[in-house]
Amino acid sequence: MTTEILKSVEPTLYEEDYYLWVETTFKQLENKDIENLDWQHLAEELEALGIEQRRKVESYLKQLLIHLLLYRYWETQKQDCQRGWQIEITNFRDELEFYFRSKTLYNYSINCLDAVYIKARRQAIQKTALQPEIFPEKCPFTPEEIFNNEYFPE
């Protein structure tokens, strides 16, 4: 009985050497060795991967919206910062374009746009110290404008 208890407390390969667990799991999948798969951790990792991709889409979208807001509404800094903002807007669009190879992630970005905009607006207000009324409460950009590589708000 003591041996069984000790076995259950021994760390698994997943806990001891994550990278080796990934390599081993990959080889097991390649070889269709489904009987020896660590199903619990594999399921957790796949779920975490999906969550992480959605989180990245939200993060890039928020940064893109912040920079679109700065570009449109922070008039006193526009002359000095416009080029930098354009570069950042382009960078965030490029990152999102990579994720949007998945239509599911594109649709996710559309569905979370309103919630992400609220956070972007709040950060733009903090960054600029402008009056909150300057920034619309609802997103002033359409998805087509947000993701259009040629669009910069005037």
Side-chain angles (χ1 to χ4, degrees), residues 4 11 47 61 65 74 119-120 151:
E4 285 181 34
E47 179 183 35
L61 180 58
L65 290 169
W74 203 6
K119 294 174 185 176
Y151 174 77

Side-chain angles (χ1 to χ4, degrees), residues 6 8 15 25 36 60-61 73 77-78 83 88 91-92 95 100 108 112 115 135 142 144 149 151:
L6 286 176
S8 67
E15 296 162 331
T25 301
N36 292 310
Y60 289 132
L61 180 58
Y73 297 105
Q77 295 298 313
K78 193 166 187 175
R83 186 166 163 17
E88 290 300 310
N91 286 338
F92 293 121
E95 291 295 330
F100 290 169
Y108 178 75
C112 73
F135 300 99
T142 65
E144 292 76 22
N149 289 324
Y151 174 77

Side-chain angles (χ1 to χ4, degrees), residues 36-52:
N36 292 310
L37 280 172
D38 178 355
W39 287 103
Q40 177 188 347
H41 289 119
L42 180 57
E44 289 172 8
E45 287 299 316
L46 287 174
E47 179 183 35
L49 180 60
I51 291 168
E52 179 64 16

